[in-house]
Amino acid sequence: MPILGTVVALGGAVLVLLIGPRLPGFVRRRRGSDSPEVQEQRTAARGQAQAYRRGRQDALRNQRLSHDSWPR
């Protein structure tokens, strides 16, 4: 009986490891694309990330400029 349980558990683990990573792509292809809500969230996240990067670049640029004007 313990051997049967081990075989069943091992078979299930193998299936999960083989099929699991492919499942999200399969579901997405079957639906056609992401829902409009997901697309809106993705677009908003991209915009926020771009704004963050631009702000960080501006801050670093301004920091360098202010350091350059220090007396030596």
Side-chain angles (χ1 to χ4, degrees):
M1 196 63 157
I3 295 174
L4 178 63
T6 303
V7 169
V8 169
L10 183 61
V14 168
L15 285 175
V16 166
L17 290 174
L18 291 176
I19 296 173
R22 295 184 180 125
L23 193 57
F26 172 74
V27 171
R28 190 176 306 123
R29 279 192 306 271
R30 189 162 184 213
R31 281 192 315 185
S33 67
D34 289 331
S35 66
E37 293 85 16
V38 171
Q39 290 175 352
E40 288 176 16
Q41 290 175 353
R42 186 178 295 132
T43 303
R46 282 186 186 138
Q48 290 172 354
Q50 288 175 350
Y52 173 80
R53 274 187 246 117
R54 281 191 302 254
R56 183 171 167 79
Q57 289 170 350
D58 289 345
L60 290 173
R61 190 178 313 114
N62 290 337
Q63 184 180 21
R64 269 187 253 128
L65 290 176
S66 65
H67 283 242
D68 291 342
S69 63
W70 287 1
R72 296 182 185 191

